[in-house]
Amino acid sequence: MMKKELNQMSFLDHLEELRWLLVRSTIAILVMACATYFISDYLFDTILFGPTRPTFFTYTFLCDLSHQIGIAESICITEFPFIIQNTEMEGQVNMFVWMCILAGFILAFPYILWQIWGFISPALYEKEKKNAVVFIVTSSLLFFMGVLFGYFFVIPMSVNFVATFSVSEMVTNQFTLDSYMGMVKTSILASGLFFELPIIIYFLTKLDLVTPKFLRDSRRYAIVIVLIISAIVTPPDVVSQTIVAIPMLIVFELSILISAIVYKNQQRKSKTIS
């Protein structure tokens, strides 16, 4: 279907455009998910189950860091006293499919952004439409940074905490495959989408739904929320909590800066028009 001008498109035309956006995005995700089938052994053994091993990069990095700054040896991990088990007949098959789809979504994310840009671009000015490459590249980089942050910091910290926490020596940790993979999916997607906050704030500011003043006034609450989240997903040591909290606070501060720039430009344009 040829794309119509925004002022000529009816509500049903917009729904049709949205439908094709979803169809093309779904096809892209499925294609990339099928591609991950050929590296499924590496995907599961090395990537997804990597944080369950004491030799994982994050654990060795924190251990080396603790030696350099002279804090307790307890931060170094030698073993994880738990096993991961499957308790459902189709559990491993279902998990295989859904984790391949998750990998497909991550790999297809730049294409999905391109589709989203094509959907919203008719509502933008000509000058703004030329920023398609900047939007897609920036948003993709932020998303991938968030995914890496979730994988290398949030997941290992969470695994370390739940694996070493015990209410009694009588209790043995035996985590189900579904609960472990659920934590992996949530951590990766939540971190990736959280790092998209500057882009979201950019558009909300353009629509006059958010102002820099509102974000600055909310800073104290954001700091408290970030510290609470970092305290929940990390072991009870300052180093781990700081490593998780600082990137999240940087993302929030970057969002404030972007909002301030956009708001200032809009105010300047309003004065020029008046």
Side-chain angles (χ1 to χ4, degrees):
M1 184 183 72
M2 296 293 293
K3 183 177 289 187
K4 302 179 182 180
E5 294 297 327
L6 181 63
N7 55 8
Q8 297 177 343
M9 293 178 66
S10 66
F11 177 73
L12 292 179
D13 290 330
H14 284 291
L15 287 181
E16 182 70 8
E17 286 288 316
L18 179 60
R19 184 175 73 89
W20 280 107
L21 181 155
L22 296 175
V23 169
R24 289 189 290 266
S25 298
T26 301
I27 292 175
I29 293 172
L30 293 178
V31 168
M32 299 308 296
C34 291
T36 60
Y37 170 80
F38 298 100
I39 58 169
S40 58
D41 290 341
Y42 179 80
L43 174 65
F44 282 88
D45 293 338
T46 303
I47 298 180
L48 295 178
F49 288 112
T52 65
R53 301 185 180 96
T55 55
F56 188 65
F57 167 79
T58 304
Y59 306 132
T60 57
F61 169 76
L62 290 178
C63 183
D64 293 339
L65 181 62
S66 67
H67 290 155
Q68 294 178 10
I69 63 179
I71 63 175
E73 288 281 338
S74 58
I75 197 173
C76 296
I77 300 170
T78 57
E79 64 175 342
F80 281 131
F82 70 87
I83 63 171
I84 297 177
Q85 58 182 345
N86 176 51
T87 59
E88 299 179 4
M89 185 72 72
E90 304 88 3
Q92 295 198 53
V93 175
N94 292 336
M95 196 55 59
F96 179 88
V97 172
W98 281 111
M99 297 313 291
C100 285
I101 291 176
L102 173 64
F105 173 79
I106 293 173
L107 295 175
F109 192 76
Y111 178 80
I112 297 173
L113 288 176
W114 181 51
Q115 292 296 313
I116 294 174
W117 181 265
F119 181 74
I120 66 175
S121 60
L124 303 175
Y125 296 109
E126 286 299 325
K127 183 178 179 180
E128 294 172 329
K129 292 180 181 179
K130 298 178 182 179
N131 296 328
V133 175
V134 176
F135 167 77
I136 294 172
V137 171
T138 304
S139 299
S140 298
L141 286 176
L142 287 172
F143 178 76
F144 291 138
M145 287 172 60
V147 168
L148 292 176
F149 174 72
Y151 177 72
F152 283 106
F153 292 104
V154 178
I155 293 176
M157 301 300 183
S158 300
V159 170
N160 182 27
F161 177 74
V162 299
T164 56
F165 180 83
S166 176
V167 295
S168 171
E169 294 181 355
M170 300 295 294
V171 181
T172 302
N173 286 326
Q174 296 182 359
F175 305 134
T176 64
L177 177 65
D178 183 64
S179 65
Y180 173 75
M181 289 301 182
M183 183 269 295
V184 170
K185 288 186 291 185
T186 301
S187 300
I188 289 178
L189 289 179
S191 298
L193 295 178
F194 178 80
F195 272 60
E196 291 294 299
L197 184 61
I199 303 298
I200 297 173
I201 293 298
Y202 171 84
F203 284 104
L204 291 179
T205 306
K206 293 284 290 185
L207 296 173
D208 293 325
L209 297 177
V210 168
T211 64
K213 183 179 183 304
F214 171 78
L215 294 175
R216 293 190 187 102
D217 293 341
S218 304
R219 180 184 281 121
R220 68 187 70 177
Y221 305 109
I223 293 175
V224 172
I225 293 174
V226 167
L227 292 176
I228 291 175
I229 293 174
S230 63
I232 292 175
V233 303
T234 62
D237 64 82
V238 177
V239 175
S240 301
Q241 294 173 6
T242 302
I243 289 175
V244 171
I246 287 179
M248 299 175 70
L249 292 175
I250 291 175
V251 170
F252 183 77
E253 292 298 326
L254 179 61
S255 301
I256 295 178
L257 177 61
I258 290 175
S259 179
I261 294 173
V262 174
Y263 185 78
K264 185 177 180 179
N265 290 338
Q266 286 185 297
Q267 293 295 312
R268 186 183 301 116
K269 289 179 182 179
S270 299
K271 291 181 180 178
T272 303
I273 295 175
S274 59

